[in-house]
Amino acid sequence: MNKLINHTSNLYSLDPKKTIQNNIQRKKKILDRDPQLFQGVPLPSWIELSLIDACNRVCSFCPKSDFDTAPNTYQKMTLGFIDKLCSDLKKINFQGAFSVCGYGEPLLHKELIQIVNKLGELGGVEIVTNGDPLKPQILREIYESRTTKLIISMYDGEHQIDYFESMIAEAKIDKDFVVLRNRWHDETEDFGVKLTNRVGNIKIGEQKEIDKNRGCFYTSYQLLVDWNGNVYLCPQDWDRRLPVGNVMIENFFDVWNGKILNKYRKKHLSSRRDIAPCNKCNADGKIHGSNHAKIWHKKFKIFNNL
């Protein structure tokens, strides 16, 4: 079994900062590599898919904790959409990776395995889950699919380490296939996550000030696709009021290299966040994607420093 993005072993720490750094390093090999080009355009290396608009948990650092902001609608992505997306990506010889996470808990989608297997024909696929729906049989099915890494965020406490390690042993799978992330910390430790305000929807914890003069690389290397094909700038945008395109009714490459996304890229690469929803965002935006940003920077003939 070829697990393409099995970069690191199953390391976790009780130090939340260490956990965050492990997560950043795991993605670095894909997100910070030299970009793939199509017609002179840097293609995304990371596509995040939100399969279902529902989660079984309510976490205070997640917009799902506010029903008015992010209600559970239980609407879900279809296999027909996945077929269309994969067809578009094959036409541009896409060689990036996928993250199955988004605005809901992916294991609640009953066709998860079929979706992962279709995506896995094109690139690596990570699943990010809270682990609640997992049982040994389900874990085994995920392992035998084209999933390349299963990320389990643990919210309840240290006892979950033994719980999931026992499940991994019972399922008889490679321990390196699973990453256990500690997320049971309190507000003083930012809950064990790289806490951001999700474009103004989260105000708890030690939040950075919004800097409208800070650049951002998100739009240079990745995008997020919602259950209905709507494309959003990045996983920080929990307002979901301004889709930059829809890959269910438009060609993927036309959206990726379209006027709306390029408008945002030019602003981001000119160190400007003076347009919604970015004017409410305090995310770093430069953790990954510098190599992609450099090519876009040159393509747009922007002369400021990145």
Side-chain angles (χ1 to χ4, degrees):
M1 184 176 299
N2 183 19
K3 297 297 181 185
L4 297 176
I5 50 176
N6 187 13
H7 305 322
T8 60
S9 61
N10 178 23
L11 298 176
Y12 51 85
S13 167
L14 299 185
D15 178 358
K17 292 183 180 179
K18 178 67 173 177
T19 303
I20 292 168
Q21 286 303 314
N22 287 344
N23 191 51
I24 292 172
Q25 289 300 316
R26 192 187 74 256
K27 293 181 177 180
K28 194 174 181 66
K29 186 174 180 180
I30 289 180
L31 304 186
D32 296 330
R33 67 184 182 181
D34 290 335
Q36 176 193 0
L37 301 180
F38 181 79
Q39 297 180 0
V41 174
L43 293 180
S45 290
W46 195 256
I47 299 175
E48 184 168 343
L49 299 175
S50 184
L51 301 191
I52 186 168
D53 193 24
C55 187
N56 60 298
R57 282 189 176 247
V58 178
C59 300
S60 59
F61 52 84
C62 173
K64 278 290 184 187
S65 60
D66 182 351
F67 185 81
D68 291 332
T69 299
N72 286 331
T73 68
Y74 294 92
Q75 298 176 103
K76 61 182 182 179
M77 196 171 282
T78 66
L79 289 175
F81 168 75
I82 295 296
D83 287 338
K84 195 271 183 187
L85 175 64
C86 290
S87 176
D88 284 358
L89 294 176
K90 286 177 182 178
K91 291 175 183 176
I92 60 176
N93 192 31
F94 176 76
Q95 297 174 8
F98 303 91
S99 173
V100 180
C101 183
Y103 304 114
E105 168 52 54
L107 267 61
L108 298 180
H109 198 300
K110 294 182 179 179
E111 296 170 316
L112 172 65
I113 299 299
Q114 296 97 308
I115 289 172
V116 166
N117 284 339
K118 288 177 180 290
L119 296 173
E121 295 177 4
L122 299 178
V125 185
E126 287 192 359
I127 297 175
V128 182
T129 175
N130 59 39
D132 291 348
L134 278 177
K135 296 179 181 178
Q137 181 180 351
I138 297 173
L139 183 55
R140 184 73 198 180
E141 289 175 359
I142 293 172
Y143 180 72
E144 292 177 347
S145 74
R146 289 182 179 269
T147 305
T148 45
K149 188 73 79 172
L150 181 67
I151 317 297
I152 302 176
S153 297
M154 302 176 293
Y155 297 105
D156 296 337
E158 295 180 37
H159 65 278
Q160 288 188 289
I161 296 175
D162 290 337
Y163 173 77
F164 285 116
E165 287 195 332
S166 295
M167 187 184 299
I168 290 167
E170 184 176 346
K172 298 180 180 179
I173 67 172
D174 182 355
K175 189 175 181 181
D176 287 348
F177 174 70
V178 180
V179 172
L180 300 178
R181 300 195 301 196
N182 51 320
R183 294 289 189 260
W184 56 75
H185 302 275
D186 60 20
E187 184 174 328
T188 62
E189 294 180 293
D190 288 343
F191 306 97
V193 301
K194 195 163 184 62
L195 192 63
T196 66
N197 68 359
R198 304 299 179 99
V199 297
N201 289 298
I202 297 297
K203 297 178 174 61
I204 61 175
E206 189 176 340
Q207 293 280 356
K208 290 184 178 180
E209 293 295 322
I210 296 171
D211 183 358
K212 295 181 182 179
N213 296 313
R214 180 173 177 78
C216 181
F217 298 158
Y218 269 120
T219 48
S220 294
Y221 73 91
Q222 66 85 60
L223 47 69
L224 187 147
V225 184
D226 207 356
W227 66 272
N228 60 357
N230 278 346
V231 174
Y232 296 101
L233 295 171
C234 72
Q236 303 297 331
D237 182 11
W238 276 78
D239 277 347
R240 289 192 283 179
R241 294 172 184 165
L242 186 67
V244 297
N246 185 296
V247 291
M248 185 66 178
I249 58 179
E250 303 171 74
N251 182 276
F252 178 90
F253 184 72
D254 291 343
V255 174
W256 174 250
N257 192 39
K259 291 182 179 179
I260 300 177
L261 260 175
N262 281 336
K263 173 184 176 180
Y264 278 90
R265 287 189 184 107
K266 289 175 183 178
K267 282 187 171 290
H268 293 164
L269 297 175
S270 300
S271 299
R272 294 168 62 193
R273 296 193 188 190
D274 57 351
I275 185 172
C278 308
N279 56 4
K280 297 186 292 181
C281 179
N282 68 353
D284 185 320
K286 290 187 174 183
I287 295 174
H288 296 294
S290 60
N291 289 331
H292 291 71
K294 288 174 184 176
I295 296 179
W296 283 111
H297 198 262
K298 184 176 180 180
K299 181 178 177 63
F300 292 141
K301 298 179 180 179
I302 298 172
F303 300 106
N304 66 297
N305 294 322
L306 285 174

mmCIF file with all atom_site columns, all heavy atoms in Angstrom, residues 48 103 199 216 218-219 222-224 231-238 261 268 277-278 281 283:
data_model
loop_
_atom_site.group_PDB
_atom_site.id
_atom_site.type_symbol
_atom_site.label_atom_id
_atom_site.label_alt_id
_atom_site.label_comp_id
_atom_site.label_asym_id
_atom_site.label_entity_id
_atom_site.label_seq_id
_atom_site.pdbx_PDB_ins_code
_atom_site.Cartn_x
_atom_site.Cartn_y
_atom_site.Cartn_z
_atom_site.occupancy
_atom_site.B_iso_or_equiv
_atom_site.pdbx_formal_charge
_atom_site.auth_seq_id
_atom_site.auth_comp_id
_atom_site.auth_asym_id
_atom_site.auth_atom_id
_atom_site.pdbx_PDB_model_num
ATOM 1   N N   . GLU A 1 48  ? -8.653  21.793 -0.075 1.00 0.00 ? 48  GLU A N   1
ATOM 2   C CA  . GLU A 1 48  ? -9.420  21.336 1.085  1.00 0.00 ? 48  GLU A CA  1
ATOM 3   C C   . GLU A 1 48  ? -10.883 21.192 0.688  1.00 0.00 ? 48  GLU A C   1
ATOM 4   O O   . GLU A 1 48  ? -11.462 22.095 0.078  1.00 0.00 ? 48  GLU A O   1
ATOM 5   C CB  . GLU A 1 48  ? -9.287  22.311 2.251  1.00 0.00 ? 48  GLU A CB  1
ATOM 6   C CG  . GLU A 1 48  ? -10.002 21.824 3.505  1.00 0.00 ? 48  GLU A CG  1
ATOM 7   C CD  . GLU A 1 48  ? -9.635  22.626 4.748  1.00 0.00 ? 48  GLU A CD  1
ATOM 8   O OE1 . GLU A 1 48  ? -8.608  23.333 4.733  1.00 0.00 ? 48  GLU A OE1 1
ATOM 9   O OE2 . GLU A 1 48  ? -10.386 22.522 5.751  1.00 0.00 ? 48  GLU A OE2 1
ATOM 10  N N   . TYR A 1 103 ? -15.775 22.563 6.829  1.00 0.00 ? 103 TYR A N   1
ATOM 11  C CA  . TYR A 1 103 ? -16.724 23.129 7.790  1.00 0.00 ? 103 TYR A CA  1
ATOM 12  C C   . TYR A 1 103 ? -17.519 22.068 8.547  1.00 0.00 ? 103 TYR A C   1
ATOM 13  O O   . TYR A 1 103 ? -18.507 22.404 9.201  1.00 0.00 ? 103 TYR A O   1
ATOM 14  C CB  . TYR A 1 103 ? -17.694 24.066 7.061  1.00 0.00 ? 103 TYR A CB  1
ATOM 15  C CG  . TYR A 1 103 ? -17.024 25.176 6.294  1.00 0.00 ? 103 TYR A CG  1
ATOM 16  C CD1 . TYR A 1 103 ? -17.095 25.226 4.902  1.00 0.00 ? 103 TYR A CD1 1
ATOM 17  C CD2 . TYR A 1 103 ? -16.319 26.177 6.953  1.00 0.00 ? 103 TYR A CD2 1
ATOM 18  C CE1 . TYR A 1 103 ? -16.492 26.247 4.191  1.00 0.00 ? 103 TYR A CE1 1
ATOM 19  C CE2 . TYR A 1 103 ? -15.702 27.201 6.249  1.00 0.00 ? 103 TYR A CE2 1
ATOM 20  C CZ  . TYR A 1 103 ? -15.789 27.233 4.862  1.00 0.00 ? 103 TYR A CZ  1
ATOM 21  O OH  . TYR A 1 103 ? -15.179 28.249 4.159  1.00 0.00 ? 103 TYR A OH  1
ATOM 22  N N   . VAL A 1 199 ? -11.993 35.079 10.478 1.00 0.00 ? 199 VAL A N   1
ATOM 23  C CA  . VAL A 1 199 ? -12.522 36.332 9.922  1.00 0.00 ? 199 VAL A CA  1
ATOM 24  C C   . VAL A 1 199 ? -13.534 36.995 10.855 1.00 0.00 ? 199 VAL A C   1
ATOM 25  O O   . VAL A 1 199 ? -14.616 37.418 10.449 1.00 0.00 ? 199 VAL A O   1
ATOM 26  C CB  . VAL A 1 199 ? -13.096 36.156 8.492  1.00 0.00 ? 199 VAL A CB  1
ATOM 27  C CG1 . VAL A 1 199 ? -12.013 35.735 7.536  1.00 0.00 ? 199 VAL A CG1 1
ATOM 28  C CG2 . VAL A 1 199 ? -14.251 35.193 8.425  1.00 0.00 ? 199 VAL A CG2 1
ATOM 29  N N   . CYS A 1 216 ? -0.376  37.812 2.472  1.00 0.00 ? 216 CYS A N   1
ATOM 30  C CA  . CYS A 1 216 ? -0.931  36.486 2.720  1.00 0.00 ? 216 CYS A CA  1
ATOM 31  C C   . CYS A 1 216 ? -0.659  35.594 1.511  1.00 0.00 ? 216 CYS A C   1
ATOM 32  O O   . CYS A 1 216 ? -0.771  36.043 0.364  1.00 0.00 ? 216 CYS A O   1
ATOM 33  C CB  . CYS A 1 216 ? -2.437  36.589 2.970  1.00 0.00 ? 216 CYS A CB  1
ATOM 34  S SG  . CYS A 1 216 ? -3.221  35.005 3.330  1.00 0.00 ? 216 CYS A SG  1
ATOM 35  N N   . TYR A 1 218 ? -2.118  32.387 1.256  1.00 0.00 ? 218 TYR A N   1
ATOM 36  C CA  . TYR A 1 218 ? -3.164  31.369 1.111  1.00 0.00 ? 218 TYR A CA  1
ATOM 37  C C   . TYR A 1 218 ? -3.644  31.243 -0.334 1.00 0.00 ? 218 TYR A C   1
ATOM 38  O O   . TYR A 1 218 ? -3.741  30.145 -0.882 1.00 0.00 ? 218 TYR A O   1
ATOM 39  C CB  . TYR A 1 218 ? -4.364  31.689 2.012  1.00 0.00 ? 218 TYR A CB  1
ATOM 40  C CG  . TYR A 1 218 ? -4.314  31.084 3.395  1.00 0.00 ? 218 TYR A CG  1
ATOM 41  C CD1 . TYR A 1 218 ? -4.339  31.900 4.519  1.00 0.00 ? 218 TYR A CD1 1
ATOM 42  C CD2 . TYR A 1 218 ? -4.278  29.701 3.583  1.00 0.00 ? 218 TYR A CD2 1
ATOM 43  C CE1 . TYR A 1 218 ? -4.314  31.357 5.802  1.00 0.00 ? 218 TYR A CE1 1
ATOM 44  C CE2 . TYR A 1 218 ? -4.249  29.158 4.848  1.00 0.00 ? 218 TYR A CE2 1
ATOM 45  C CZ  . TYR A 1 218 ? -4.268  29.983 5.959  1.00 0.00 ? 218 TYR A CZ  1
ATOM 46  O OH  . TYR A 1 218 ? -4.238  29.450 7.222  1.00 0.00 ? 218 TYR A OH  1
ATOM 47  N N   . THR A 1 219 ? -3.989  32.363 -0.954 1.00 0.00 ? 219 THR A N   1
ATOM 48  C CA  . THR A 1 219 ? -4.554  32.313 -2.300 1.00 0.00 ? 219 THR A CA  1
ATOM 49  C C   . THR A 1 219 ? -3.533  31.931 -3.362 1.00 0.00 ? 219 THR A C   1
ATOM 50  O O   . THR A 1 219 ? -3.894  31.699 -4.516 1.00 0.00 ? 219 THR A O   1
ATOM 51  C CB  . THR A 1 219 ? -5.189  33.665 -2.663 1.00 0.00 ? 219 THR A CB  1
ATOM 52  O OG1 . THR A 1 219 ? -4.272  34.726 -2.357 1.00 0.00 ? 219 THR A OG1 1
ATOM 53  C CG2 . THR A 1 219 ? -6.482  33.874 -1.898 1.00 0.00 ? 219 THR A CG2 1
ATOM 54  N N   . GLN A 1 222 ? -3.443  27.367 -2.342 1.00 0.00 ? 222 GLN A N   1
ATOM 55  C CA  . GLN A 1 222 ? -4.514  26.462 -1.928 1.00 0.00 ? 222 GLN A CA  1
ATOM 56  C C   . GLN A 1 222 ? -5.879  27.124 -2.096 1.00 0.00 ? 222 GLN A C   1
ATOM 57  O O   . GLN A 1 222 ? -5.980  28.318 -2.344 1.00 0.00 ? 222 GLN A O   1
ATOM 58  C CB  . GLN A 1 222 ? -4.322  26.041 -0.484 1.00 0.00 ? 222 GLN A CB  1
ATOM 59  C CG  . GLN A 1 222 ? -4.459  27.157 0.537  1.00 0.00 ? 222 GLN A CG  1
ATOM 60  C CD  . GLN A 1 222 ? -5.887  27.422 0.962  1.00 0.00 ? 222 GLN A CD  1
ATOM 61  O OE1 . GLN A 1 222 ? -6.551  26.540 1.495  1.00 0.00 ? 222 GLN A OE1 1
ATOM 62  N NE2 . GLN A 1 222 ? -6.388  28.631 0.708  1.00 0.00 ? 222 GLN A NE2 1
ATOM 63  N N   . LEU A 1 223 ? -6.919  26.311 -1.985 1.00 0.00 ? 223 LEU A N   1
ATOM 64  C CA  . LEU A 1 223 ? -8.273  26.837 -1.892 1.00 0.00 ? 223 LEU A CA  1
ATOM 65  C C   . LEU A 1 223 ? -9.147  25.836 -1.155 1.00 0.00 ? 223 LEU A C   1
ATOM 66  O O   . LEU A 1 223 ? -8.759  24.693 -0.911 1.00 0.00 ? 223 LEU A O   1
ATOM 67  C CB  . LEU A 1 223 ? -8.860  27.175 -3.268 1.00 0.00 ? 223 LEU A CB  1
ATOM 68  C CG  . LEU A 1 223 ? -8.760  26.195 -4.431 1.00 0.00 ? 223 LEU A CG  1
ATOM 69  C CD1 . LEU A 1 223 ? -9.619  24.983 -4.215 1.00 0.00 ? 223 LEU A CD1 1
ATOM 70  C CD2 . LEU A 1 223 ? -9.176  26.897 -5.728 1.00 0.00 ? 223 LEU A CD2 1
ATOM 71  N N   . LEU A 1 224 ? -10.344 26.310 -0.788 1.00 0.00 ? 224 LEU A N   1
ATOM 72  C CA  . LEU A 1 224 ? -11.293 25.467 -0.074 1.00 0.00 ? 224 LEU A CA  1
ATOM 73  C C   . LEU A 1 224 ? -12.576 25.353 -0.887 1.00 0.00 ? 224 LEU A C   1
ATOM 74  O O   . LEU A 1 224 ? -13.109 26.358 -1.360 1.00 0.00 ? 224 LEU A O   1
ATOM 75  C CB  . LEU A 1 224 ? -11.606 26.044 1.304  1.00 0.00 ? 224 LEU A CB  1
ATOM 76  C CG  . LEU A 1 224 ? -12.464 25.163 2.223  1.00 0.00 ? 224 LEU A CG  1
ATOM 77  C CD1 . LEU A 1 224 ? -12.069 25.350 3.679  1.00 0.00 ? 224 LEU A CD1 1
ATOM 78  C CD2 . LEU A 1 224 ? -13.962 25.460 2.059  1.00 0.00 ? 224 LEU A CD2 1
ATOM 79  N N   . VAL A 1 231 ? -16.317 27.904 -3.988 1.00 0.00 ? 231 VAL A N   1
ATOM 80  C CA  . VAL A 1 231 ? -14.901 28.018 -3.653 1.00 0.00 ? 231 VAL A CA  1
ATOM 81  C C   . VAL A 1 231 ? -14.698 29.252 -2.778 1.00 0.00 ? 231 VAL A C   1
ATOM 82  O O   . VAL A 1 231 ? -15.190 30.341 -3.099 1.00 0.00 ? 231 VAL A O   1
ATOM 83  C CB  . VAL A 1 231 ? -14.033 28.131 -4.919 1.00 0.00 ? 231 VAL A CB  1
ATOM 84  C CG1 . VAL A 1 231 ? -12.569 28.388 -4.556 1.00 0.00 ? 231 VAL A CG1 1
ATOM 85  C CG2 . VAL A 1 231 ? -14.160 26.864 -5.763 1.00 0.00 ? 231 VAL A CG2 1
ATOM 86  N N   . TYR A 1 232 ? -13.996 29.071 -1.675 1.00 0.00 ? 232 TYR A N   1
ATOM 87  C CA  . TYR A 1 232 ? -13.677 30.173 -0.775 1.00 0.00 ? 232 TYR A CA  1
ATOM 88  C C   . TYR A 1 232 ? -12.168 30.370 -0.717 1.00 0.00 ? 232 TYR A C   1
ATOM 89  O O   . TYR A 1 232 ? -11.390 29.472 -1.040 1.00 0.00 ? 232 TYR A O   1
ATOM 90  C CB  . TYR A 1 232 ? -14.263 29.920 0.611  1.00 0.00 ? 232 TYR A CB  1
ATOM 91  C CG  . TYR A 1 232 ? -15.772 29.878 0.569  1.00 0.00 ? 232 TYR A CG  1
ATOM 92  C CD1 . TYR A 1 232 ? -16.456 28.668 0.568  1.00 0.00 ? 232 TYR A CD1 1
ATOM 93  C CD2 . TYR A 1 232 ? -16.514 31.053 0.469  1.00 0.00 ? 232 TYR A CD2 1
ATOM 94  C CE1 . TYR A 1 232 ? -17.849 28.628 0.486  1.00 0.00 ? 232 TYR A CE1 1
ATOM 95  C CE2 . TYR A 1 232 ? -17.899 31.024 0.390  1.00 0.00 ? 232 TYR A CE2 1
ATOM 96  C CZ  . TYR A 1 232 ? -18.557 29.810 0.396  1.00 0.00 ? 232 TYR A CZ  1
ATOM 97  O OH  . TYR A 1 232 ? -19.922 29.777 0.295  1.00 0.00 ? 232 TYR A OH  1
ATOM 98  N N   . LEU A 1 233 ? -11.758 31.564 -0.315 1.00 0.00 ? 233 LEU A N   1
ATOM 99  C CA  . LEU A 1 233 ? -10.357 31.945 -0.372 1.00 0.00 ? 233 LEU A CA  1
ATOM 100 C C   . LEU A 1 233 ? -9.461  31.009 0.413  1.00 0.00 ? 233 LEU A C   1
ATOM 101 O O   . LEU A 1 233 ? -8.350  30.692 -0.015 1.00 0.00 ? 233 LEU A O   1
ATOM 102 C CB  . LEU A 1 233 ? -10.185 33.372 0.161  1.00 0.00 ? 233 LEU A CB  1
ATOM 103 C CG  . LEU A 1 233 ? -10.853 34.478 -0.660 1.00 0.00 ? 233 LEU A CG  1
ATOM 104 C CD1 . LEU A 1 233 ? -10.792 35.788 0.103  1.00 0.00 ? 233 LEU A CD1 1
ATOM 105 C CD2 . LEU A 1 233 ? -10.182 34.615 -2.018 1.00 0.00 ? 233 LEU A CD2 1
ATOM 106 N N   . CYS A 1 234 ? -9.931  30.598 1.588  1.00 0.00 ? 234 CYS A N   1
ATOM 107 C CA  . CYS A 1 234 ? -9.091  29.777 2.446  1.00 0.00 ? 234 CYS A CA  1
ATOM 108 C C   . CYS A 1 234 ? -9.929  29.228 3.587  1.00 0.00 ? 234 CYS A C   1
ATOM 109 O O   . CYS A 1 234 ? -11.082 29.639 3.776  1.00 0.00 ? 234 CYS A O   1
ATOM 110 C CB  . CYS A 1 234 ? -7.922  30.608 2.992  1.00 0.00 ? 234 CYS A CB  1
ATOM 111 S SG  . CYS A 1 234 ? -8.400  31.813 4.239  1.00 0.00 ? 234 CYS A SG  1
ATOM 112 N N   . PRO A 1 235 ? -9.380  28.307 4.391  1.00 0.00 ? 235 PRO A N   1
ATOM 113 C CA  . PRO A 1 235 ? -10.155 27.725 5.494  1.00 0.00 ? 235 PRO A CA  1
ATOM 114 C C   . PRO A 1 235 ? -10.452 28.700 6.625  1.00 0.00 ? 235 PRO A C   1
ATOM 115 O O   . PRO A 1 235 ? -11.199 28.358 7.542  1.00 0.00 ? 235 PRO A O   1
ATOM 116 C CB  . PRO A 1 235 ? -9.266  26.575 5.983  1.00 0.00 ? 235 PRO A CB  1
ATOM 117 C CG  . PRO A 1 235 ? -7.894  26.922 5.531  1.00 0.00 ? 235 PRO A CG  1
ATOM 118 C CD  . PRO A 1 235 ? -8.075  27.652 4.239  1.00 0.00 ? 235 PRO A CD  1
ATOM 119 N N   . GLN A 1 236 ? -9.896  29.903 6.576  1.00 0.00 ? 236 GLN A N   1
ATOM 120 C CA  . GLN A 1 236 ? -10.207 30.905 7.605  1.00 0.00 ? 236 GLN A CA  1
ATOM 121 C C   . GLN A 1 236 ? -11.577 31.543 7.389  1.00 0.00 ? 236 GLN A C   1
ATOM 122 O O   . GLN A 1 236 ? -12.167 32.089 8.320  1.00 0.00 ? 236 GLN A O   1
ATOM 123 C CB  . GLN A 1 236 ? -9.128  31.996 7.615  1.00 0.00 ? 236 GLN A CB  1
ATOM 124 C CG  . GLN A 1 236 ? -7.715  31.507 7.835  1.00 0.00 ? 236 GLN A CG  1
ATOM 125 C CD  . GLN A 1 236 ? -7.514  30.859 9.194  1.00 0.00 ? 236 GLN A CD  1
ATOM 126 O OE1 . GLN A 1 236 ? -8.197  31.200 10.155 1.00 0.00 ? 236 GLN A OE1 1
ATOM 127 N NE2 . GLN A 1 236 ? -6.573  29.937 9.278  1.00 0.00 ? 236 GLN A NE2 1
ATOM 128 N N   . ASP A 1 237 ? -12.087 31.504 6.162  1.00 0.00 ? 237 ASP A N   1
ATOM 129 C CA  . ASP A 1 237 ? -13.320 32.218 5.826  1.00 0.00 ? 237 ASP A CA  1
ATOM 130 C C   . ASP A 1 237 ? -14.551 31.434 6.264  1.00 0.00 ? 237 ASP A C   1
ATOM 131 O O   . ASP A 1 237 ? -15.110 30.649 5.506  1.00 0.00 ? 237 ASP A O   1
ATOM 132 C CB  . ASP A 1 237 ? -13.381 32.510 4.331  1.00 0.00 ? 237 ASP A CB  1
ATOM 133 C CG  . ASP A 1 237 ? -14.630 33.304 3.956  1.00 0.00 ? 237 ASP A CG  1
ATOM 134 O OD1 . ASP A 1 237 ? -15.321 33.789 4.869  1.00 0.00 ? 237 ASP A OD1 1
ATOM 135 O OD2 . ASP A 1 237 ? -14.911 33.433 2.754  1.00 0.00 ? 237 ASP A OD2 1
ATOM 136 N N   . TRP A 1 238 ? -14.978 31.684 7.493  1.00 0.00 ? 238 TRP A N   1
ATOM 137 C CA  . TRP A 1 238 ? -16.177 31.027 8.016  1.00 0.00 ? 238 TRP A CA  1
ATOM 138 C C   . TRP A 1 238 ? -17.428 31.875 7.821  1.00 0.00 ? 238 TRP A C   1
ATOM 139 O O   . TRP A 1 238 ? -18.524 31.452 8.194  1.00 0.00 ? 238 TRP A O   1
ATOM 140 C CB  . TRP A 1 238 ? -15.983 30.670 9.488  1.00 0.00 ? 238 TRP A CB  1
ATOM 141 C CG  . TRP A 1 238 ? -15.275 29.364 9.650  1.00 0.00 ? 238 TRP A CG  1
ATOM 142 C CD1 . TRP A 1 238 ? -13.938 29.137 9.510  1.00 0.00 ? 238 TRP A CD1 1
ATOM 143 C CD2 . TRP A 1 238 ? -15.862 28.107 9.980  1.00 0.00 ? 238 TRP A CD2 1
ATOM 144 N NE1 . TRP A 1 238 ? -13.658 27.810 9.716  1.00 0.00 ? 238 TRP A NE1 1
ATOM 145 C CE2 . TRP A 1 238 ? -14.821 27.153 10.032 1.00 0.00 ? 238 TRP A CE2 1
ATOM 146 C CE3 . TRP A 1 238 ? -17.158 27.687 10.268 1.00 0.00 ? 238 TRP A CE3 1
ATOM 147 C CZ2 . TRP A 1 238 ? -15.031 25.810 10.337 1.00 0.00 ? 238 TRP A CZ2 1
ATOM 148 C CZ3 . TRP A 1 238 ? -17.382 26.352 10.577 1.00 0.00 ? 238 TRP A CZ3 1
ATOM 149 C CH2 . TRP A 1 238 ? -16.324 25.429 10.595 1.00 0.00 ? 238 TRP A CH2 1
ATOM 150 N N   . LEU A 1 261 ? -10.244 35.560 -7.974 1.00 0.00 ? 261 LEU A N   1
ATOM 151 C CA  . LEU A 1 261 ? -9.107  35.086 -7.183 1.00 0.00 ? 261 LEU A CA  1
ATOM 152 C C   . LEU A 1 261 ? -7.855  35.908 -7.478 1.00 0.00 ? 261 LEU A C   1
ATOM 153 O O   . LEU A 1 261 ? -7.070  36.212 -6.570 1.00 0.00 ? 261 LEU A O   1
ATOM 154 C CB  . LEU A 1 261 ? -8.852  33.600 -7.459 1.00 0.00 ? 261 LEU A CB  1
ATOM 155 C CG  . LEU A 1 261 ? -9.391  32.624 -6.416 1.00 0.00 ? 261 LEU A CG  1
ATOM 156 C CD1 . LEU A 1 261 ? -9.183  31.184 -6.847 1.00 0.00 ? 261 LEU A CD1 1
ATOM 157 C CD2 . LEU A 1 261 ? -8.746  32.865 -5.057 1.00 0.00 ? 261 LEU A CD2 1
ATOM 158 N N   . HIS A 1 268 ? -3.155  40.519 -1.751 1.00 0.00 ? 268 HIS A N   1
ATOM 159 C CA  . HIS A 1 268 ? -2.389  39.777 -0.737 1.00 0.00 ? 268 HIS A CA  1
ATOM 160 C C   . HIS A 1 268 ? -0.890  39.904 -0.969 1.00 0.00 ? 268 HIS A C   1
ATOM 161 O O   . HIS A 1 268 ? -0.115  40.033 -0.015 1.00 0.00 ? 268 HIS A O   1
ATOM 162 C CB  . HIS A 1 268 ? -2.794  38.309 -0.753 1.00 0.00 ? 268 HIS A CB  1
ATOM 163 C CG  . HIS A 1 268 ? -4.202  38.075 -0.305 1.00 0.00 ? 268 HIS A CG  1
ATOM 164 N ND1 . HIS A 1 268 ? -4.867  36.892 -0.537 1.00 0.00 ? 268 HIS A ND1 1
ATOM 165 C CD2 . HIS A 1 268 ? -5.073  38.869 0.364  1.00 0.00 ? 268 HIS A CD2 1
ATOM 166 C CE1 . HIS A 1 268 ? -6.085  36.974 -0.026 1.00 0.00 ? 268 HIS A CE1 1
ATOM 167 N NE2 . HIS A 1 268 ? -6.236  38.156 0.525  1.00 0.00 ? 268 HIS A NE2 1
ATOM 168 N N   . PRO A 1 277 ? -13.409 39.157 2.854  1.00 0.00 ? 277 PRO A N   1
ATOM 169 C CA  . PRO A 1 277 ? -13.444 39.042 4.312  1.00 0.00 ? 277 PRO A CA  1
ATOM 170 C C   . PRO A 1 277 ? -12.076 39.233 4.968  1.00 0.00 ? 277 PRO A C   1
ATOM 171 O O   . PRO A 1 277 ? -11.958 39.154 6.179  1.00 0.00 ? 277 PRO A O   1
ATOM 172 C CB  . PRO A 1 277 ? -13.932 37.604 4.507  1.00 0.00 ? 277 PRO A CB  1
ATOM 173 C CG  . PRO A 1 277 ? -13.315 36.861 3.363  1.00 0.00 ? 277 PRO A CG  1
ATOM 174 C CD  . PRO A 1 277 ? -13.346 37.823 2.194  1.00 0.00 ? 277 PRO A CD  1
ATOM 175 N N   . CYS A 1 278 ? -11.048 39.498 4.144  1.00 0.00 ? 278 CYS A N   1
ATOM 176 C CA  . CYS A 1 278 ? -9.675  39.551 4.654  1.00 0.00 ? 278 CYS A CA  1
ATOM 177 C C   . CYS A 1 278 ? -9.452  40.692 5.635  1.00 0.00 ? 278 CYS A C   1
ATOM 178 O O   . CYS A 1 278 ? -8.546  40.625 6.474  1.00 0.00 ? 278 CYS A O   1
ATOM 179 C CB  . CYS A 1 278 ? -8.701  39.665 3.486  1.00 0.00 ? 278 CYS A CB  1
ATOM 180 S SG  . CYS A 1 278 ? -8.949  38.405 2.204  1.00 0.00 ? 278 CYS A SG  1
ATOM 181 N N   . CYS A 1 281 ? -9.572  39.429 9.159  1.00 0.00 ? 281 CYS A N   1
ATOM 182 C CA  . CYS A 1 281 ? -8.793  38.211 9.443  1.00 0.00 ? 281 CYS A CA  1
ATOM 183 C C   . CYS A 1 281 ? -7.464  38.530 10.116 1.00 0.00 ? 281 CYS A C   1
ATOM 184 O O   . CYS A 1 281 ? -6.751  39.442 9.710  1.00 0.00 ? 281 CYS A O   1
ATOM 185 C CB  . CYS A 1 281 ? -8.536  37.465 8.130  1.00 0.00 ? 281 CYS A CB  1
ATOM 186 S SG  . CYS A 1 281 ? -7.554  35.963 8.298  1.00 0.00 ? 281 CYS A SG  1
ATOM 187 N N   . ALA A 1 283 ? -5.218  35.835 10.711 1.00 0.00 ? 283 ALA A N   1
ATOM 188 C CA  . ALA A 1 283 ? -4.359  34.666 10.482 1.00 0.00 ? 283 ALA A CA  1
ATOM 189 C C   . ALA A 1 283 ? -3.011  35.097 9.916  1.00 0.00 ? 283 ALA A C   1
ATOM 190 O O   . ALA A 1 283 ? -2.912  36.112 9.211  1.00 0.00 ? 283 ALA A O   1
ATOM 191 C CB  . ALA A 1 283 ? -5.041  33.693 9.523  1.00 0.00 ? 283 ALA A CB  1
#
